[in-house]
């Protein structure tokens, strides 16, 4: 059997990490990140979305994230 134990730096991080997947799902709302046309520049909505996700992740440093994407 494998035991998983979550270890956080402090109580604030533990609180920030509680329900992190739900919080990230809410922040992204199932949307793709918006770019300006066919450019690599983020649209204002895409930038705001990533800032919101970054804020959540900065508070929960114990989480690992995998980002996937493609260019057309």
């Amino acid at each position: 059997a494998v035991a998983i134990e979550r270890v956080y730096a402090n109580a604030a991080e533990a609180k920030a990490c509680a329900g992190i997947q739900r919080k990230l799902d809410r922040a992204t709302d199932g949307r793709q990140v918006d770019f300006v046309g066919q450019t690599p520049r983020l649209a204002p909505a895409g930038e705001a979305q990533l800032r919101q996700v970054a804020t959540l992740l900065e508070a929960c440093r114990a989480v690992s994230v995998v980002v996937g994407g493609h260019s057309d």
Side-chain angles (χ1 to χ4, degrees):
V2 175
I4 298 174
E5 182 177 342
R6 293 188 169 99
V7 178
Y8 303 107
N10 53 47
E13 184 179 73
K15 182 177 179 181
C17 292
I20 190 67
Q21 184 64 59
R22 180 180 39 78
K23 293 173 185 176
L24 291 168
D25 290 344
R26 191 176 327 125
T28 59
D29 194 28
R31 297 182 319 264
Q32 294 181 350
V33 177
D34 292 332
F35 289 85
V36 176
Q38 296 296 315
T39 72
R41 291 183 321 216
L42 288 170
E47 187 171 339
Q49 182 182 19
L50 289 181
R51 285 187 189 280
Q52 188 175 8
V53 168
T55 298
L56 292 169
L57 295 176
E58 285 175 343
C60 181
R61 296 193 179 261
V63 73
S64 295
V65 176
V66 176
V67 177
H70 63 88
S71 60
D72 293 333

